[in-house]
Amino acid sequence: MFKTLGVLLAVYVTFAVFRGEVYAKSGIWGRTIKRVDSASYFWTVIGIYCALALALVIVF
């Protein structure tokens, strides 16, 4: 089950990179981060999601 979640998260990350926006938890809810508005925060979130996807596939 975790491997499936990891693969789905990797697909979402790929989609988010091509689209240029990603949804991330911020405060109580969350927000959409756009690459053109905040490139460093966008790539930080992408990196965290990639690490999580990799951990879900390899570790769990």
Side-chain angles (χ1 to χ4, degrees):
M1 178 171 174
F2 288 113
K3 292 189 187 317
T4 304
L5 287 174
V7 170
L8 289 174
L9 182 58
V11 169
Y12 173 70
V13 168
T14 305
F15 176 72
V17 168
F18 283 115
R19 190 167 183 209
E21 60 184 41
V22 64
Y23 183 80
K25 180 95 169 91
S26 177
I28 295 175
W29 304 108
R31 68 181 184 133
T32 301
I33 297 105
K34 296 186 180 186
R35 184 174 40 220
V36 295
D37 295 338
S38 180
S40 62
Y41 189 48
F42 173 82
W43 289 112
T44 300
V45 171
I46 292 294
I48 290 169
Y49 281 175
C50 284
L52 179 60
L54 189 62
L56 284 169
V57 171
I58 293 174
V59 176
F60 295 103

